[in-house]
Amino acid sequence: MKKLLVVVAIAVIGVAAWRVRSHKSVDTLDGKSVLVDRLWLDHIPSHEREPFNILALFSEHSVGVFQKLTAYTGRYEMFQYGNGGWKYPQTRETDSPTIRIRRCDDNGMDFCMDITGNSRGVHRYYSRKDWVIKSLADEQALAAQLDAAR
């Protein structure tokens, strides 16, 4: 069931990314190749009703998404990112986060990310080397790979 939750989360992110392809691009952050185009989770849930948080930033249009979800329900908020920080179009609020990413081996994850200065999401996320998402096709391939592994 854990892998099903991850597959559902990746599918939602892929649909969100596909929907924003027509939006105007802003400047991207330099030197963040591990940060962007990658799926970040706060933890892998132990059952289908356990909520978990996702963060993904897409380089193609300099947009990101925060999600809090279970296998059955969820909520997301998209934002634009660039040199001016993170801008939330719905509320017109902004954040200026400080991000620290390091290699780790926590709970089978390859990367640990700590964020301060953000008003959305959580302050620690994890990712794996192969959780790269560059396009809807990449997202679908990752979802299929995780689904096959369960």
Side-chain angles (χ1 to χ4, degrees), residues 10-21:
I10 291 170
V12 170
I13 288 173
V15 170
W18 177 71
R19 290 182 66 188
V20 300
R21 288 189 183 276

Side-chain angles (χ1 to χ4, degrees), residues 74-144:
R75 177 182 164 91
Y76 73 93
E77 183 170 8
M78 304 209 50
F79 60 93
Q80 300 168 323
Y81 70 90
N83 293 334
W86 294 357
K87 299 174 185 172
Y88 303 95
Q90 180 65 33
T91 62
R92 297 189 179 133
E93 295 173 306
T94 61
D95 281 337
S96 296
T98 301
I99 299 169
R100 180 178 169 255
I101 299 172
R102 61 184 169 81
R103 291 190 181 276
C104 68
D105 189 18
D106 295 359
N107 299 317
M109 298 295 175
D110 299 311
F111 301 107
C112 297
M113 175 173 53
D114 294 308
I115 305 175
T116 57
N118 59 315
S119 61
R120 311 305 200 267
V122 297
H123 298 286
R124 176 164 288 166
Y125 290 93
Y126 302 92
S127 188
R128 293 185 179 154
K129 288 178 186 176
D130 58 344
W131 286 2
V132 175
I133 302 171
K134 291 188 179 179
S135 68
L136 183 57
D138 285 348
E139 176 272 327
Q140 290 170 338
L142 178 57

Side-chain angles (χ1 to χ4, degrees), residues 2 5 43-52 69-72:
K2 291 180 191 178
L5 293 173
H43 71 282
I44 294 179
S46 59
H47 57 85
E48 67 270 10
R49 288 188 171 84
E50 181 180 357
F52 63 105
L69 65 151
T70 72
Y72 305 112

